[in-house]
Amino acid sequence: DEAIEQELAGREPDIHGLTFLPFLAGERSIGWRPHARATLHGLSLSTGPLDILQAGMEAVALRFAVAERILRRQFPQAEEIIVSGGAFGESRVWATMVADAIGCQIALSKEAEASSRGAAIMALQSAGLISDVENIAVALGENIDPEPSRHARLTAALERQQSLYERMTMDDRR
């Protein structure tokens, strides 16, 4: 909804003070804890629906920041981050949250099925049917740059989220 998108665009990151672990279907990446559960911490009588929506969107953006840190250690030579999926194409606010959470520029993919396309390209390369994936064109859209003060606020929110994550998943490690 355009009105909600505009309201979210005018809000400061983490203004709600909520900490959300977005594991509604378990943790499906990074820690791979299928039994992890979502939790929303910090609710009060003054918490409104827009606060909860923003906290949820930022929580997912923060999980992307965790993934980016791990991938960056494995692939330090990577020069760009390309995000795909209908949600980011439909919500510039959410894509901006991801850039701000990660702290570096992201490029929006125009590919309708980027994950399936990537898997097919890797399969073709493994089968020896293509030799150089670097020369395959990628349809990219807009680049989104992070804003340093927003990144700083989301970095603090990520520390809070990681602390809650550690407390909530402590039993999983025993």
Side-chain angles (χ1 to χ4, degrees):
D1 174 88
E2 187 61 35
I4 292 173
E5 183 90 352
Q6 286 180 351
E7 278 192 70
L8 286 170
R11 292 173 60 110
E12 288 295 316
D14 197 34
I15 193 73
H16 44 73
L18 300 171
T19 304
F20 183 41
L21 296 180
F23 306 132
L24 295 167
E27 186 182 12
R28 301 181 324 185
S29 66
I30 311 304
W32 295 104
R33 292 184 173 88
H35 301 296
R37 292 294 169 251
T39 188
L40 181 58
H41 182 76
L43 291 168
S44 72
L45 290 174
S46 63
T47 302
L50 198 60
D51 295 322
I52 295 170
L53 175 62
Q54 181 181 0
M57 293 170 73
E58 288 174 349
V60 172
L62 295 175
R63 300 319 295 170
F64 276 105
V66 171
E68 186 274 340
R69 288 177 180 176
I70 292 168
L71 289 169
R72 180 74 59 194
R73 286 194 300 267
Q74 294 298 314
F75 304 98
Q77 75 284 3
E79 295 178 7
E80 63 184 338
I81 298 172
I82 302 170
V83 298
S84 65
F88 299 121
E90 294 295 319
S91 176
R92 188 176 197 291
V93 167
W94 205 357
T96 300
M97 286 177 184
V98 171
D100 288 338
I102 291 172
C104 62
Q105 183 182 77
I106 63 171
L108 299 178
S109 172
K110 286 187 171 182
E111 300 290 347
E113 294 292 335
S115 297
S116 298
R117 181 178 186 270
I121 289 169
M122 297 309 294
L124 290 169
Q125 182 183 32
S126 294
L129 298 172
I130 57 174
S131 60
D132 187 8
V133 296
E134 298 295 323
N135 292 325
I136 296 175
V138 178
L140 295 179
E142 174 183 13
N143 288 331
I144 300 177
D145 292 308
E147 204 283 315
S149 68
R150 297 175 75 81
H151 174 63
R153 288 187 68 135
L154 288 172
T155 297
L158 178 57
E159 289 174 19
R160 207 173 61 239
Q161 186 191 63
Q162 281 298 99
S163 176
L164 181 60
Y165 173 81
E166 293 295 325
R167 291 193 313 267
M168 295 297 292
T169 61
M170 190 167 32
D171 288 340
D172 291 350
R173 296 194 181 124
R174 293 182 183 155

